[in-house]
Amino acid sequence: MSEAGSLRIAGCHYPAGSAAGQAAELHVSADGALRLEPGGRALGHWRGLRVPERLGRAPRVLGLGDGGGFETGDNAAVDACERRFRGRVAGGRLHALEGRWTIAWLALAGLGFSIFAGFVWGIPALAARVAPWLPASVVVGSSEETLASLDRHVLRPSRLPAARCEALEATRARLAARAGLSGGRLECRRGGAFGANAFALPSGLVVITDEFVELGGDDDELAGVLAHEVAHVEYRHGLRQALQGSLLTLGAALLTGDLANAGSFIAHLPVVLAGLHYSRDFEREADARGAALMRAEGRDPRALARALARLEGAARQKERPAAPAWLSDHPDTQERIARIEALAR
Ligand SMILES: [Zn+2]
């Protein structure tokens, strides 16, 4: 709509003190002089206009020098005149800000995805990387603290003959050495609510309950269970799971702004360790590695499968109601038995 550098801006003219507008055009000459059409009334220079900040595509009412107003949706023309006669950057602050909302929403969507990806992939990966760097004092300390807490609340002193527990410890020590692990020990306990159970803490401390030993499995079966637990220690499964839990707690605290509670996340570590519900992947790894350790020891790698079958059989009998404990931490027993048998072939 320009002729020789002049501009015509279509809109609606509101005379001073009148709410009734009429269609009009604002003619802007090449040097910025204004004329209202129809009528041809001179309205001074562009620089005499009050031009509100642009808000997206919303029409603006330009304040005329005579107290009237000129409403137009031709923001491009208004911005061009502002640039030409007042040296303003197109749009102005608010428009630029509004433009940034698009970027802000995109950034927010990106952040949302990052957080999701972080939870799903990043935290397990981070936990796996951090786990080897945790100081031994922290690993041993939190493991001992966990056992002490379990001793206070759930476990009771073992009633097994001392020689039986010592023999199991000797087996564990051989398997751990085979896995290249130093430290660690076996503790026998009456399981109480834990029933027939065996679990490893990150320091290499393995606990087996009297109830498990009393299920009647032979030495190879118990060795298979210990090999499985040693594998959990070797792969740092407990530590990684605990770190994942802590990082999730910390992440959730950061997201919700509940930082006051985030400080205590490390304090929850022993509690998380006591949870010890391994992921299915961790169980498969421990089964496979346990079978390999058994084979390396010259023992039957299928012994763990037999122990699992025995546990499951016991779990079905009402007279051993506590038996499912180890199974509940080790789901899909039949699938695991089949996998171990296949590995051992
Ligand atoms: Zn396990």
Side-chain angles (χ1 to χ4, degrees), residues 228-229 232 278 282-283 286-287 326 329-330 336:
H228 172 93
E229 296 304 331
H232 276 316
Y278 293 121
F282 284 180
E283 290 307 339
D287 284 344
W326 203 65
D329 286 358
H330 300 74
R336 289 178 62 203

Short mmCIF file of all heavy atoms in Angstrom, two decimals, residues 228-229 232 278 282-283 286-287 326 329-330 336, ligand 1:
data_model
loop_
_atom_site.label_atom_id
_atom_site.label_comp_id
_atom_site.label_asym_id
_atom_site.label_seq_id
_atom_site.Cartn_x
_atom_site.Cartn_y
_atom_site.Cartn_z
N HIS A 228 24.22 -66.62 43.71
CA HIS A 228 23.31 -65.60 43.19
C HIS A 228 23.47 -64.29 43.97
O HIS A 228 23.54 -63.21 43.40
CB HIS A 228 21.87 -66.14 43.28
CG HIS A 228 20.80 -65.14 42.95
ND1 HIS A 228 20.27 -65.01 41.69
CD2 HIS A 228 20.17 -64.22 43.72
CE1 HIS A 228 19.35 -64.05 41.69
NE2 HIS A 228 19.26 -63.56 42.92
N GLU A 229 23.55 -64.40 45.30
CA GLU A 229 23.70 -63.20 46.13
C GLU A 229 25.06 -62.54 45.92
O GLU A 229 25.17 -61.31 45.89
CB GLU A 229 23.47 -63.53 47.61
CG GLU A 229 22.06 -64.01 47.94
CD GLU A 229 20.98 -63.02 47.51
OE1 GLU A 229 21.25 -61.80 47.48
OE2 GLU A 229 19.87 -63.47 47.19
N HIS A 232 24.90 -60.45 42.90
CA HIS A 232 24.27 -59.15 43.17
C HIS A 232 25.30 -58.16 43.72
O HIS A 232 25.32 -56.99 43.36
CB HIS A 232 23.14 -59.29 44.20
CG HIS A 232 21.81 -59.71 43.63
ND1 HIS A 232 21.29 -59.17 42.47
CD2 HIS A 232 20.89 -60.61 44.07
CE1 HIS A 232 20.11 -59.73 42.23
NE2 HIS A 232 19.84 -60.61 43.18
N TYR A 278 14.86 -56.11 43.65
CA TYR A 278 15.66 -55.93 42.45
C TYR A 278 14.79 -55.94 41.21
O TYR A 278 13.74 -56.58 41.18
CB TYR A 278 16.69 -57.05 42.33
CG TYR A 278 17.76 -57.02 43.38
CD1 TYR A 278 17.94 -58.09 44.23
CD2 TYR A 278 18.59 -55.91 43.51
CE1 TYR A 278 18.92 -58.07 45.19
CE2 TYR A 278 19.57 -55.89 44.47
CZ TYR A 278 19.74 -56.97 45.31
OH TYR A 278 20.70 -56.94 46.25
N PHE A 282 18.21 -57.22 36.85
CA PHE A 282 19.23 -57.52 37.86
C PHE A 282 19.15 -58.99 38.25
O PHE A 282 20.16 -59.66 38.44
CB PHE A 282 19.05 -56.63 39.09
CG PHE A 282 19.51 -55.20 38.91
CD1 PHE A 282 19.41 -54.28 39.94
CD2 PHE A 282 20.08 -54.77 37.71
CE1 PHE A 282 19.84 -52.96 39.79
CE2 PHE A 282 20.52 -53.47 37.54
CZ PHE A 282 20.39 -52.56 38.59
N GLU A 283 17.92 -59.50 38.39
CA GLU A 283 17.76 -60.91 38.78
C GLU A 283 18.34 -61.84 37.71
O GLU A 283 19.02 -62.82 38.02
CB GLU A 283 16.29 -61.24 39.01
CG GLU A 283 15.68 -60.60 40.24
CD GLU A 283 16.47 -60.87 41.50
OE1 GLU A 283 17.25 -61.83 41.55
OE2 GLU A 283 16.33 -60.08 42.46
N ALA A 286 22.06 -61.76 37.90
CA ALA A 286 22.57 -62.48 39.07
C ALA A 286 22.43 -63.99 38.88
O ALA A 286 23.30 -64.76 39.30
CB ALA A 286 21.85 -62.02 40.34
N ASP A 287 21.33 -64.43 38.25
CA ASP A 287 21.15 -65.86 37.98
C ASP A 287 22.27 -66.37 37.06
O ASP A 287 22.88 -67.41 37.32
CB ASP A 287 19.79 -66.12 37.31
CG ASP A 287 18.64 -66.05 38.31
OD1 ASP A 287 18.91 -66.10 39.52
OD2 ASP A 287 17.48 -65.94 37.86
N TRP A 326 11.42 -64.69 49.80
CA TRP A 326 12.51 -64.60 48.83
C TRP A 326 11.96 -64.59 47.42
O TRP A 326 12.43 -63.90 46.54
CB TRP A 326 13.47 -65.79 49.01
CG TRP A 326 14.84 -65.52 48.47
CD1 TRP A 326 15.74 -64.60 48.93
CD2 TRP A 326 15.49 -66.18 47.37
NE1 TRP A 326 16.89 -64.65 48.20
CE2 TRP A 326 16.77 -65.62 47.24
CE3 TRP A 326 15.11 -67.21 46.50
CZ2 TRP A 326 17.68 -66.03 46.27
CZ3 TRP A 326 16.01 -67.62 45.53
CH2 TRP A 326 17.29 -67.03 45.42
N ASP A 329 10.76 -61.26 46.08
CA ASP A 329 11.85 -60.43 45.58
C ASP A 329 12.40 -60.97 44.27
O ASP A 329 13.19 -60.34 43.61
CB ASP A 329 13.00 -60.39 46.60
CG ASP A 329 12.64 -59.52 47.78
OD1 ASP A 329 11.55 -58.95 47.77
OD2 ASP A 329 13.47 -59.42 48.70
N HIS A 330 12.02 -62.16 43.94
CA HIS A 330 12.57 -62.84 42.77
C HIS A 330 11.42 -63.38 41.94
O HIS A 330 11.10 -64.56 41.99
CB HIS A 330 13.48 -63.99 43.21
CG HIS A 330 14.64 -63.51 44.04
ND1 HIS A 330 14.50 -63.11 45.34
CD2 HIS A 330 15.94 -63.35 43.74
CE1 HIS A 330 15.69 -62.73 45.81
NE2 HIS A 330 16.58 -62.86 44.86
N ARG A 336 12.64 -68.15 35.51
CA ARG A 336 14.05 -68.14 35.95
C ARG A 336 14.61 -69.56 35.97
O ARG A 336 15.75 -69.79 35.56
CB ARG A 336 14.15 -67.50 37.33
CG ARG A 336 13.90 -66.00 37.30
CD ARG A 336 13.97 -65.42 38.69
NE ARG A 336 15.29 -65.59 39.28
CZ ARG A 336 15.51 -65.58 40.59
NH1 ARG A 336 14.51 -65.46 41.43
NH2 ARG A 336 16.74 -65.71 41.05
ZN ZN B 1 18.23 -61.85 43.59
#
